[in-house]
Amino acid sequence: MPFVRIDTLGSDPARLDALGQAVQDALVETLGVPPGDRFQVLTGHDGVTGTMRHGDYPGVHRDDSVVFVAITLRAGRGVDRKRAMYRRIAELVHERTGTEPRNVFVTLTENGDADWSFGHGLAQYAPADGGSAGASS
């Protein structure tokens, strides 16, 4: 169950939707996330009441088309799968929104089974009775 936050400057709803779908499709293709397992917060900043800052570290020149993608998911994927995910996100974002791959900044935070509650105040992946944790995503 990845939880995704996407932030970009001055985006209209259609671009935000395209960004969200591009990231979801990349997660499905590269990490095997179920297609309906989609939890995203998409935010377009107006530059006045909310904005974004970016630099050229580490030698990647970004401009105001930058897209920050923060993904939280359960641990367990290898480096090659993560690299494939980063690459596919950049490709799909470029195809669907025209955003240059250099402007697609992705962070990944991993956690464990007990770090998720889908509702009802329960840790569904880490039941108290010691039962099965459920599918990985």
Side-chain angles (χ1 to χ4, degrees):
M1 181 210 138
F3 178 70
V4 177
R5 295 190 63 94
I6 299 174
D7 290 87
T8 191
L9 189 59
S11 282
D12 61 63
R15 181 164 185 252
L16 286 172
D17 186 57
L19 290 168
Q21 192 60 57
V23 171
Q24 180 66 16
D25 290 347
L27 292 171
V28 169
E29 291 177 25
T30 61
L31 300 184
V33 170
D37 188 351
R38 184 175 182 179
F39 298 90
Q40 300 180 334
V41 176
L42 312 172
T43 305
H45 300 272
D46 64 10
V48 177
T49 59
T51 195
M52 298 168 39
R53 300 287 184 254
H54 54 82
D56 289 345
Y57 182 84
V60 178
H61 175 69
R62 295 171 198 85
D63 58 37
D64 283 344
S65 297
V66 69
V67 176
F68 291 130
V69 180
I71 303 169
T72 302
L73 74 166
R74 293 192 296 164
R77 278 75 173 191
V79 173
D80 289 341
R81 290 180 78 190
K82 291 175 187 178
R83 286 184 180 129
M85 178 198 65
Y86 300 139
R87 184 174 44 254
R88 190 64 177 144
I89 288 172
E91 290 169 353
L92 291 176
V93 165
H94 183 246
E95 287 174 17
R96 297 178 186 179
T97 71
T99 303
E100 292 294 325
R102 66 184 168 81
N103 277 319
V104 180
F105 183 102
V106 181
T107 62
L108 184 63
T109 303
E110 296 179 305
N111 59 25
D113 290 345
D115 298 318
W116 296 91
S117 175
F118 297 94
H120 299 290
L122 302 174
Q124 285 86 351
Y125 284 155
D129 65 4
S132 174
S136 175
S137 62

